[in-house]
Amino acid sequence: MKQLLSGNGEAELDPNQVSQVAVEVCKDDLLSLFVLKLPTLGWQARKDLGRCWCILLSQKVGSSYCCVDYIDNHVELLDFLIVCYNNKEIALNCGNMLRECIKYPTLAKYILESTSFELFFTYVELPNFDIASDALATFKDLLTRHENAVSQFLSSNFEQFFDRYEKLLTSANYVTRRQSLKFLSDLLLESPNTHIMKRYILEVRYLKIMMELLQDSSKNIQRSAFHVFKVFVANPNKPQEVIDTLLKNRDILVMRLSNLPTSKGGEDEQQLEEERDLIIQEIESMSSSPNSIS
């Protein structure tokens, strides 16, 4: 099948033949067997299957992607691939196949809205570094590839999502804390997620998490925390609870920010210093009245 779909390097590939294979694979439910029998296959067979999977999903027959439509009608296959992150022998193969599925909006939407999505909050902290990193790559792909769908998902599931995400930010695992914090910053600053960011910075409990991360032992985490923390401070419409928390901790915050490490390889050190100084000025000039800072 791999030769039928990708050629053998000798004869020219026939696109019509590839499309016909895709149609027959769906017609005979072979696509389901590919997934369900994955745990029984050897390493090379799994590698070949992954290559076939990518080609099959990309085949457009008429006006539709027949294999994508098949999976859309057999979404249990997506749930199966997600659960297989628990199987260290096939976890990376399943991750590659999932990320191929996520390219297509309907499949990505199903995963986001499924109960299986919550498993990623556990998978990114698995003890096996390679599998945890792969799960994080899939998690990020789900939350960035289709911006409008992600924005709608976060709006509808704001509290549930960020409650779970809080556990990643406060994880005892350094890699988890650092990567989840960096991704949170990127996610909140995406244009379609502006309303999510505005909602996030109204919550004092999330402010307190950033304040704690500002004193993390890692300089990288301190810098990443600052990029989220500064949005809380710069918000012209801070709720009173946020103002009270900043005022109550003003002295220690100014001290932490003054000691914020600014040098980092490719980062613009001067810009970071300027932003830090501006945020310190904002905090020092705050009063107890809402919206008192210009």
Side-chain angles (χ1 to χ4, degrees):
M1 179 171 287
K2 188 180 76 168
Q3 287 189 3
L4 282 173
L5 294 175
S6 58
N8 56 14
E10 297 177 3
E12 186 175 344
L13 195 64
D14 183 355
N16 292 326
Q17 179 177 269
V18 174
S19 296
Q20 187 60 37
V21 170
V23 170
E24 296 300 327
V25 160
C26 296
K27 180 180 176 182
D28 293 338
D29 287 326
L30 283 178
L31 213 58
S32 289
L33 286 178
F34 284 169
V35 174
L36 300 176
K37 295 297 182 181
L38 190 64
T40 69
L41 301 178
W43 181 83
Q44 185 60 49
R46 294 197 303 269
K47 183 179 176 182
D48 290 344
L49 189 149
R51 174 63 180 156
C52 292
W53 182 265
C54 294
I55 295 171
L56 287 168
L57 262 63
S58 67
Q59 293 307 302
K60 194 169 186 179
V61 180
S63 60
S64 66
Y65 294 93
C66 58
C67 291
V68 172
D69 290 345
Y70 179 91
I71 297 171
D72 208 16
N73 290 317
H74 297 79
V75 290
E76 68 277 5
L77 299 179
L78 296 171
D79 294 314
F80 184 87
L81 288 172
I82 294 171
V83 170
C84 282
Y85 265 117
N86 284 313
N87 184 336
K88 64 181 181 180
E89 297 298 324
I90 62 172
L92 301 185
N93 302 102
C94 291
N96 286 328
M97 293 167 72
L98 275 171
R99 287 189 292 278
E100 196 63 31
C101 292
I102 290 167
K103 292 179 181 179
Y104 303 93
T106 56
L107 304 187
K109 184 174 185 293
Y110 169 78
I111 297 174
L112 277 175
E113 296 176 351
S114 72
T115 55
S116 297
F117 175 70
E118 295 185 5
L119 293 172
F120 283 101
F121 290 96
T122 301
Y123 292 156
V124 298
E125 292 201 89
L126 287 171
N128 184 303
F129 178 78
D130 290 337
I131 295 176
S133 297
D134 193 275
L136 181 62
T138 305
F139 184 72
K140 286 180 177 180
D141 218 10
L142 273 167
L143 290 165
T144 55
R145 184 169 286 275
H146 306 289
E147 293 179 341
N148 291 332
V150 169
S151 179
Q152 292 175 13
F153 166 76
L154 292 175
S155 294
S156 302
N157 301 274
F158 182 89
E159 291 186 4
Q160 181 183 11
F161 177 82
F162 285 107
D163 281 352
R164 298 296 300 271
Y165 206 88
E166 180 179 337
K167 294 183 174 68
L168 301 183
L169 294 171
T170 56
S171 170
N173 185 300
Y174 163 74
V175 175
T176 300
R177 288 200 314 281
R178 181 178 177 183
Q179 292 185 335
S180 59
L181 181 56
K182 175 65 170 63
F183 180 57
L184 174 66
S185 178
D186 294 341
L187 185 68
L188 293 177
L189 294 176
E190 287 284 344
S191 296
N193 295 332
T194 299
H195 64 295
I196 301 298
M197 182 267 288
K198 289 180 177 178
R199 187 173 171 184
Y200 187 85
I201 61 176
L202 294 178
E203 298 284 344
V204 72
R205 59 178 173 155
Y206 300 141
L207 168 64
K208 290 178 178 178
I209 293 172
M210 294 306 132
M211 289 165 57
E212 285 297 318
L213 291 172
L214 280 173
Q215 62 177 345
D216 195 275
S217 58
S218 162
K219 294 179 179 179
N220 288 320
I221 288 179
Q222 290 176 34
R223 277 189 291 263
S224 295
F226 171 73
H227 288 305
V228 180
F229 173 79
K230 68 185 181 185
V231 186
F232 284 91
V233 178
N235 178 19
N237 300 305
K238 289 184 281 293
Q240 187 63 49
E241 195 173 12
V242 167
I243 292 174
D244 292 343
T245 300
L246 292 171
L247 288 173
K248 181 180 179 181
N249 297 276
R250 175 157 44 195
D251 292 342
I252 192 169
L253 283 171
V254 169
M255 182 184 71
R256 287 179 192 170
L257 292 172
S258 297
N259 295 324
L260 182 73
T262 54
S263 352
K264 183 190 175 190
E267 190 168 6
D268 188 334
E269 183 177 345
Q270 183 178 357
Q271 181 181 346
L272 182 56
E273 288 180 353
E274 291 174 354
E275 290 180 349
R276 179 198 62 187
D277 293 344
L278 283 172
I279 293 301
I280 289 175
Q281 290 174 24
E282 289 277 343
I283 294 173
E284 288 180 331
S285 64
M286 282 181 63
S287 72
S288 59
S289 300
N291 309 323
S292 62
I293 300 175
S294 59

